[in-house]
Structures are given as C-alpha cells and as structure tokens.
Amino acid sequence: MVQQKENWWCNVVEQKEQQYIKYVAVYLRKSRGDEEKDLEKHKKVLVDLCVDNNWKYVLYEEIESGDSIAGRPVMKKLLKDVENDVYDAVLVIDIDRLGRGDKGDQNIIEKTFKNSETLIITDKGNYNLNNEDDEFIVDMRGFIARQEYKQIVKRLARGKKVGARLGNWTNGRPPFPYEYNASIKGLVVNEDKLPIYRFIIESVILSNLTPNDIAYELNKKKIPSPKGGIWHGVSIYRLLVDETHLGKIISNKTKGDGHVKKNEQSEEKPKLEKVINLPRSEWTIVDNCHKAVKTQEEHEKILLFLSRDKKTPKKSVAKKLALTGLIRCGKCGHGLGIQEREERNNNKIIKTCWYKDQYGNKCGNKGGSLDIVLHLIDSELDKYQAELEGKLNTSDDNSEEIKKLIDKQDKNISIKQKSIKKIQEAYELDVYSIEEYKERKAEVTKEIEQLEDEKKILELRLKYMDDSINQQRLLKINQFRKLINKKHLSSEKINDAYKSIIESIIWTRTEDNIDIKINFR
C-alpha cells in the first residue's frame, strides 16, 4: 500500500479530488544539509506542478530549520491559514518537510489538515488525512522522520564532543576578539579588535576599573560592542573571566537540555533533564588550541579583583521610611529613594534620581522634601474619598446604561462574525478570488477586534463603577485613617499603611516647578 502510494504522480490525481483543487500553498523549508541550490530545485518542482495543473499558489518559504513548530514562524502562519480554509491543498517536496518534531507537533499538523479537509500534495502523491489509508501513511512517515532526526541530533552531539577533544572550536559564536576559521576548524585573533580587548584587560589590572566603568569608557569613546550596539557591564564581565582567551577550549560544562519546558507541552512525556552546571573536574579542557590574548597571571589578577569586588561588605539595610518604594521618577521611571537627614532635625527628603544610562547621561530629576508629598496625599485622599462616595449614589443608573452598551457591542460582534461566514461561502462559490477573500476577511476581522477592544473598555468602566469594589476602596481608606493616627507606630507599619491605598507617586522637579501625581489603588 505504501509503495503504491509513493509511486503515484500528482498530475494524475483522482478526478473526484482534482476538480476541487484551485488554490494551493507551496511550503518550502531548508532541512539540515540542504544548500540554497537544493531549495531552488524544490521550488521549481513544486511550482511546475502548480503550472501543469493550473493551480493558483502562494509561496511560504521557511528560513528556520527547527524541528518544532514553535521555532518556525512561517509554518505557524501556514497552519493558521489552513485552519481558516484558505487553501484546497498544500504542496511540499516531502511529508517530513511539514514537521518531524514530537508527536504533539505531528498531532497539531494532522488535526489542522483533517478539520479543514485540506490535501497534502508532494511530487510523488497526494494525501487526504480524512482517508484512513492516507492517515496511516502520514503517521508512518512522521514516525520514521522523527527517528531519523533523533539520530542526526545524536551524531551532531557526538561529533561536537569529539571535535572539542581534538581542539576544534565547537562552542558556537567565538568570544571577542576571536573569529572562526573554517579551514583550520579553530579560532584566529582579529588584530583590529585586539587593542580593544587589551584595553579591557589593562583597565582592570592597571586601573582597577569595574566592568560597569569599562563599559562606560568604551561607550564614551563610541566603540561598538561585538554585536554593533553599546557595551554592558555584564558582557565585559564575561569577557574578563572567559578562559578561551588563554588559548583553551572548554566544553562539557553543563549537562541537560534547555528545552525541557517546551517538551512538557507536548503529548510525549519529556525524558530530558534540566540544565545543571557540572564541576570543573568533569569539564573537557584542551590547552594550546589557538593564540592566547592574556596570560595566566593576568587572568588570576582579574579573578582576584572581581572576587574582592563581590566580597565587599554590603551596607546595612536602611529602615523603611514612609512612602519607601512608592515614589517613581517622572522623567525616567526609576524608583526614587528616601533619606533621613539628622543634621536637619531628622527631616526626610526624596533623593535626586541616581539613574545613569550606558553613555553616562544622568537623569537630572532633582529630589526635595518628603513633607510636600505627605501634605498633598492628605488633600488628594479627601477628594478621592468624596469621588468614591459620589459614585455609590449614581452607579445604579450609569451601570445599567453601560450594560446596555455592552449588549449592543455583543450584537455588533455577532453580526460581524456572521459576515465572515458569508465571505467564506462567497469564496467557496468562486464569487471572490483568494486575494479578495483575504482582503475582505481582514477588514471584517479588524472591525471585530476594534469592537472587542471597545467592549473591554466598557467592561472596565462597569467594574470600576461596581458598588462592591468602591465600597472596598472606601473601607481601606477608613482603615488607613484609623491606623495612621495611632501613636508609636513604626516607620515600616506607616509605610505598609500608605501602600494599602496608593499604587504609585510620580515625582518630577524642574528649576521652577514640582509636579506630583498620586495614583490611588
């Protein structure tokens, strides 16, 4: 049965199915080992099939070669279009190009094609997944493809380990300032980048600069990072501790797989272990693989400096003052600290914003007296409480009106959804071309999304006007007022009380003005 199906040329598709095929999708995906010329050859074969059978077609070309649907955006788009009955059939050079991931992915593909009654066509035959024989063949082909893929992955992993032991570079993108040389399967130093790397090393050894300080200096000099952007302290730190720069190649530092969570979503139970770091005794370390750009002595000095930096005793945690964690900078959005000044009779002040971007530019938002904010909270809380009490008296009439508007939106959404069904029927009757079908459907879908957004806003308004919610807000305000007036209350308790009624406080200070916005819960 399988052999008979494989030898069936698609140009002689059964007469019963042939008459229904008008619009098709051509899916092309680069597999492991494929070259660009292979992909072009596949495209020509499938496009010729479309021309020979007078089928209108749309190309879906996948750049990614991942095994799972999650890592293939074009495949996800194709499945969405198939699910929406856009095509009569999908053309692929071979069944396993659609997917050779786990059974979960395979089931998604088969279910989508089966529910939409979309055919799968190759240059050797066509498959209707609502036909038991065809479904069996596709299942078998999927099983074989998965087994082949597992073997390929296994061989690649084994080859990577062997290559590392032979001193070949198998660890992906090489660290700055190295580049990969395919002819020697190893690393060579980019002499133009070497002075920048040496500047980083010497900045630590000679000047005791921290990684953040070095990043700031490089950005100030407008020297691009290895990826063409700005430098960060984290990337500088990684360069400093990397032993690749000693001429070594180190592998087998971890064990497990980073895709465990993704596998948990499939129907196949994951047999993978989570990634764990292995002890140095189990690493594979090969010396003298390429030119070293720092000495062992320099490396040890760097590690010593960074470890001292880590072991610097932390400052004792300051007590939480009123409004701690609530005040945010109105210019950059970062949190603003609060400080108690003993020399000013324990007056509390809002600190100037400390934030500095990667180029060293300071935010510049100045601080001020905390009393200003506390007085404003008192007056704004009175207004907020009066507003909530007013809504309790009027919410019944307004809420009924909003409920009517929500019902109206539901009816409008229902009408638009029926319009999509009519557009689908018109397309099936050949009233619309595939381009007109897509365009009209997209217009109505956009209208539905807009109606749903408007409905969500109405629902939020209704929720905000709900008596029970407003009563809860008023209850919290009354509890706050009772608690805040108690004597001998700790600063932490006072801070917790403010947090129960306030979401955030936005502080902005210019030369001539202070702007404060209180966001109540």
Side-chain angles (χ1 to χ4, degrees), residues 115-127:
N115 290 346
S116 62
E117 297 183 351
T118 305
L119 297 177
I120 300 173
I121 299 176
T122 72
D123 66 341
K124 298 181 180 67
N126 72 310
Y127 304 86

Side-chain angles (χ1 to χ4, degrees), residues 339-352:
Q339 185 177 6
E340 197 169 32
R341 291 283 183 90
E342 293 180 5
E343 67 273 16
R344 297 183 183 178
N345 298 321
N346 292 330
N347 283 341
K348 300 171 185 67
I349 64 165
I350 299 166
K351 292 182 180 180
T352 298

Side-chain angles (χ1 to χ4, degrees), residues 183-196:
S183 63
I184 62 172
K185 296 182 180 180
L187 303 183
V188 293
V189 178
N190 183 319
E191 297 297 335
D192 294 331
K193 297 176 180 177
L194 183 57
I196 301 170

Side-chain angles (χ1 to χ4, degrees), residues 18 23 58 131 134 136 139 150 175-176 182 184 227 233 244 252 274 282 310 318-319 327 351 363 386 397 438 507 517:
Q18 173 73 29
Y23 305 107
V58 176
N131 178 295
D134 287 3
F136 173 74
D139 282 341
K150 288 177 182 177
F176 184 90
I184 62 172
K227 292 184 178 180
T244 306
N252 199 44
K274 291 184 179 180
E282 295 183 31
K310 280 184 178 180
K319 65 178 180 179
I327 305 177
K351 292 182 180 180
C363 171
D397 295 336
K438 286 183 176 181
W507 169 279
K517 182 180 179 183

Side-chain angles (χ1 to χ4, degrees), residues 398-408 410 462:
N398 289 337
S399 63
E400 287 303 318
E401 184 180 345
I402 291 176
K403 285 177 183 177
K404 289 178 182 178
L405 289 173
I406 291 173
D407 290 338
K408 187 178 179 181
D410 283 331
L462 184 64

Side-chain angles (χ1 to χ4, degrees), residues 151-170 185 251:
Q151 289 300 317
I152 290 171
V153 172
K154 190 175 180 180
R155 285 195 294 269
L156 285 172
R158 187 186 299 123
K160 183 176 179 179
K161 288 180 181 178
V162 172
R165 286 187 172 89
L166 293 174
N168 298 333
W169 181 256
T170 59
K185 296 182 180 180
S251 59

Side-chain angles (χ1 to χ4, degrees), residues 455-470:
K455 179 186 171 184
K456 285 178 183 176
I457 292 171
L458 288 170
E459 288 173 339
L460 286 172
R461 285 178 59 191
L462 184 64
K463 180 180 178 182
Y464 182 75
M465 293 175 64
D466 191 348
D467 280 355
S468 61
I469 293 176
N470 287 335

